[in-house]
């Protein structure tokens, strides 16, 4: 089980959190202008790296806020948690 | 290749078992092959076998970074069935099931395919409506499927808890009698031996580290045992598809997750069929050794570590005890995880790629084992003819751009 450090509440057990996938995928600002390929890229295509991964977690049974975590997808070691940029409220 | 037979068994017994041949050669890689298959799991070995047998392409290498069948082929719960909802998926898995039915004879290798039936339980009115719908769709597609009620389930599986007072009462199930289980290692070994006999080079301890291109055309692969040229490269690396795709600068709609399973100590025969439940989230069968084989769900997060979280195991154990309270005191022997590459629509990608001569077979998610022979069969066709077979046309990578997804979360979301 992971111990995940919520930037707002501190370190808690994994079962308090829910996973939000790859971080930094921004909603298109002008959806009408997007081609089918760009839509597919936004909706479905993922980096899915073997190694360092920036991802979103939600402290569902705590403060209920989204934040970012940098985690290694092989060792599962979490190197840091970070607050999302202002205006980015998560998925 | 010496054919296995009862007579051969007797002859080798008289010879004190000193004269068995290795089941396959251990060759060094050649400089160039017509086709290189990356990934020596069941799907990759089946692809190589059908390339040689159905399409006459014998100059084939299968490259495996570890040992054959040591990845997901050896890490699943061995369930085989074809009762998928949508026509595209049902026909693909049904092709596979039909190949399973003759596989031991075809390969001259006992894959221990046992058609002991697969029950998918329903615990609510909506579950039962979905089951009725799926069974009807299956029958329209020519698959064997029936809906059974609680009394029939209790008669077939005496240990199951069908009490109306259960937290999730069992209201009925779908039953596919032709479904069952197979010996997972034997599938890899059988395909390896049969492919090797047809001239395929199986090269273990050989990890692909790069995919080489000349403009828009693939020319070979870079490996830990040197460069290997190839006219065509087929990638079948469950779990690591995104890693291989990034070597060719391609993006896939795939996320890799750990999927766990565990087995109990061996017991006397207690369960002679396969029981799966999407609602309580667990599936169980009993192996020929007597171990209860129990599968859990995937962990929510991306992971390549071949292990998952304890809460997921606990959840699956709770589900099994809900169905079979008698198993609450059974001790567990081993647990393990495999890495599954999950597509957004829970269906595989068996497709040509934007690079000429490059083909991917991936995204089987949690249910690839049952498809092993069928997957190899259609993938071999796709590579040999440079176009998809009718059975895998719908599983092209382009469906994520066109929007023609095949939503199999209902039939595939949990239970395999």
């Amino acid at each position: 089980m992971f111990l995940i450090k919520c930037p707002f509440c501190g370190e808690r057990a994994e079962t308090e959190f829910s996973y939000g996938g790859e971080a930094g995928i921004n909603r298109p600002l002008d959806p009408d202008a997007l081609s089918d390929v760009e839509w597919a890229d936004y909706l479905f295509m993922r980096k899915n790296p073997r190694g360092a991964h920036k991802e979103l977690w939600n402290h569902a049974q705590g403060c209920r806020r989204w934040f970012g975590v940098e985690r290694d997808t092989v060792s599962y070691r979490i190197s840091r948690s970070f607050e999302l940029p202002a205006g980015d409220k998560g998925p | 290749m010496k054919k296995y037979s009862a007579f051969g068994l007797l002859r080798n017994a008289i010879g004190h078992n000193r004269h068995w041949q290795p089941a396959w050669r251990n060759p060094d890689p050649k400089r160039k092959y017509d086709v290189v298959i990356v990934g020596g799991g069941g799907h990759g070995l089946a692809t190589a076998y059908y390339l040689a047998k159905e399409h006459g392409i014998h100059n084939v290498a299968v490259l495996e970074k570890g040992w054959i069948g040591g990845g997901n082929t050896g890490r699943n719960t061995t369930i085989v069935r074809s009762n998928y909802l949508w026509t595209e998926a049902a026909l693909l898995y049904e092709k596979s099931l039909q190949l399973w039915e003759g596989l031991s004879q075809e390969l001259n290798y006992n894959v221990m395919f046992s058609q002991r039936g697969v029950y998918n339980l329903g615990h609510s009115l909506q579950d039962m409506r979905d089951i009725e719908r799926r069974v009807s769709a299956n029958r329209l597609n020519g698959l064997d499927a029936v809906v059974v009620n609680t009394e029939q389930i209790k008669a077939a599986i005496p240990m199951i808890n069908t009490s109306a007072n259960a937290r999730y009462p069992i209201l009925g199930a779908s039953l596919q009698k032709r479904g069952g289980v197979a010996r997972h290692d034997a599938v890899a070994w059988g395909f390896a031996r049969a492919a090797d006999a047809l001239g395929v080079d199986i090269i273990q301890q050989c990890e692909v580290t790069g995919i080489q291109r000349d403009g828009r055309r693939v020319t070979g692969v870079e490996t830990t045992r040197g460069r290997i040229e190839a006219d065509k490269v087929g990638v079948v690396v469950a779990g690591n598809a995104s890693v291989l795709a990034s070597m060719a600068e391609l993006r896939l709609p795939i996320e890799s997750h750990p999927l766990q399973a565990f087995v109990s100590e061996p017991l006397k025969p207690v369960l002679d069929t396969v029981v799966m439940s999407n609602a309580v989230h667990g599936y169980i069968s009993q192996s020929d050794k007597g171990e209860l084989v129990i599968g859990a769900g995937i962990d929510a997060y991306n992971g390549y570590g071949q292990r998952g979280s304890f809460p997921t195991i606990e959840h699956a154990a709770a589900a099994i005890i809900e169905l079979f309270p008698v198993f609450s005191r059974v001790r567990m022997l081993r647990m393990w995880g495999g890495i599954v590459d999950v597509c957004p629509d829970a269906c595989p990608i068996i497709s040509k790629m934007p690079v000429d001569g490059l083909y991917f077979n991936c995204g089987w998610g949690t249910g690839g084992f049952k498809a092993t022979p069928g997957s190899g069969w259609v993938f071999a066709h796709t590579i040999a003819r440079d176009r998809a077979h009718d059975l895998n046309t719908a599983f092209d990578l382009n469906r994520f751009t066109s929007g023609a997804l095949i939503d199999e979360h209902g039939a595939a979301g949990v239970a395999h």
Side-chain angles (χ1 to χ4, degrees), chain A residues 1-2 14-15 18-22 25 35-51 53 55 57 71-77, chain B residues 65 239-240 242-243 251-258 299-312 339 341 344 397 399-403 405:
Chain A
M1 191 182 314
F2 302 159
E14 171 194 341
T15 45
S18 59
Y19 184 64
E22 183 179 321
I25 299 173
S35 68
D36 287 351
V37 172
E38 288 166 328
W39 267 118
D41 202 74
Y42 163 68
L43 286 172
F44 301 127
M45 301 298 166
R46 296 293 179 263
K47 289 186 191 133
N48 193 26
R50 190 185 172 97
H53 190 224
E55 56 197 20
W57 287 84
R71 186 177 60 92
D72 187 293
T73 57
V74 180
S75 70
Y76 298 167
R77 189 163 292 128
Chain B
K65 73 173 174 181
N240 286 298
S242 299
V243 177
R251 269 160 75 79
L252 291 176
I254 279 178
E255 292 191 290
S256 300
H257 295 270
D299 280 85
Y301 50 81
N302 291 24
Y304 285 90
Q306 293 190 323
R307 64 194 184 285
S309 293
F310 191 73
T312 306
I339 302 305
D341 42 5
L397 181 61
R399 73 177 187 270
F400 297 96
T401 310
S402 71
L405 304 189

Side-chain angles (χ1 to χ4, degrees), chain B residues 119-387:
Chain B
Y119 288 83
N120 293 80
L121 302 179
H123 301 267
S124 66
L125 279 177
Q126 187 57 48
D127 275 1
M128 290 314 296
R129 290 187 193 114
D130 291 341
I131 284 172
E132 293 274 3
R133 179 188 178 205
R134 183 162 47 77
V135 166
S136 302
N138 289 162
R139 293 171 74 126
L140 285 170
N141 280 323
L143 279 58
D144 73 305
V146 286
V147 179
V148 291
N149 63 27
T150 313
E151 290 71 38
Q152 291 168 301
I153 295 171
K154 185 69 180 172
I157 312 166
M159 290 295 178
I160 205 165
N161 177 20
T162 52
S163 159
N165 296 327
R167 173 70 182 84
Y168 299 100
I170 294 168
L171 302 184
S174 73
L175 167 62
Q176 185 175 29
K177 288 183 181 164
R178 288 164 61 240
V181 293
R183 171 81 198 279
H184 48 7
D185 296 324
V187 179
W189 298 336
F191 271 119
R193 176 169 168 271
D196 178 84
L198 293 172
V200 172
D201 282 358
I202 295 163
I203 300 159
Q204 304 181 66
Q205 308 275 309
C206 178
E207 181 173 355
V208 169
T209 53
I211 295 174
Q212 295 176 327
R213 293 155 55 162
D214 179 12
R216 288 189 47 81
R217 171 127 213 121
V218 75
T219 56
V221 290
E222 199 67 58
T223 76
T224 49
R225 293 177 68 173
R227 175 173 161 36
I228 300 173
E229 289 175 40
D231 292 336
K232 295 178 177 178
V233 175
V235 179
V236 209
V237 289
N240 286 298
S242 299
V243 177
L244 269 289
S246 68
M247 292 177 191
E249 289 153 25
L250 300 170
R251 269 160 75 79
L252 291 176
I254 279 178
E255 292 191 290
S256 300
H257 295 270
L259 175 66
Q260 300 181 87
F262 45 106
V263 296
S264 74
E265 59 193 338
L267 307 174
K268 296 270 179 155
V270 64
L271 181 64
D272 63 355
T273 185
V274 182
V275 178
M276 324 207 304
S277 168
N278 284 14
V280 298
H281 215 301
Y283 36 110
I284 184 166
S285 65
Q286 189 173 22
S287 75
D288 292 345
K289 267 193 291 186
E291 300 163 328
L292 297 174
V293 183
I294 298 168
I298 61 170
D299 280 85
Y301 50 81
N302 291 24
Y304 285 90
Q306 293 190 323
R307 64 194 184 285
S309 293
F310 191 73
T312 306
I313 288 287
E314 190 177 21
H315 187 81
I320 295 305
I321 292 168
E322 163 77 18
L323 298 176
F324 295 94
V326 68
F327 293 159
S328 65
R329 285 177 224 172
V330 174
R331 284 167 294 191
M332 293 301 146
L333 273 192
R334 299 189 300 280
M335 57 180 274
W336 66 90
I339 302 305
V340 296
D341 42 5
V342 178
C343 268
D345 59 354
C347 274
I349 298 165
I350 314 165
S351 177
K352 291 173 63 170
M353 299 305 276
V355 178
D356 291 340
L358 183 63
Y359 309 83
F360 265 66
N361 181 351
C362 59
W364 288 92
T366 55
F369 177 75
K370 68 172 82 67
T372 303
S375 160
W377 196 86
V378 296
F379 196 42
H381 185 284
T382 306
I383 294 171
R385 309 276 178 90
D386 195 37
R387 62 183 158 81

Side-chain angles (χ1 to χ4, degrees), chain B residues 278 281 346 366 408-416:
Chain B
N278 284 14
H281 215 301
T366 55
E408 278 294 356
H409 284 285
V414 179
H416 288 278

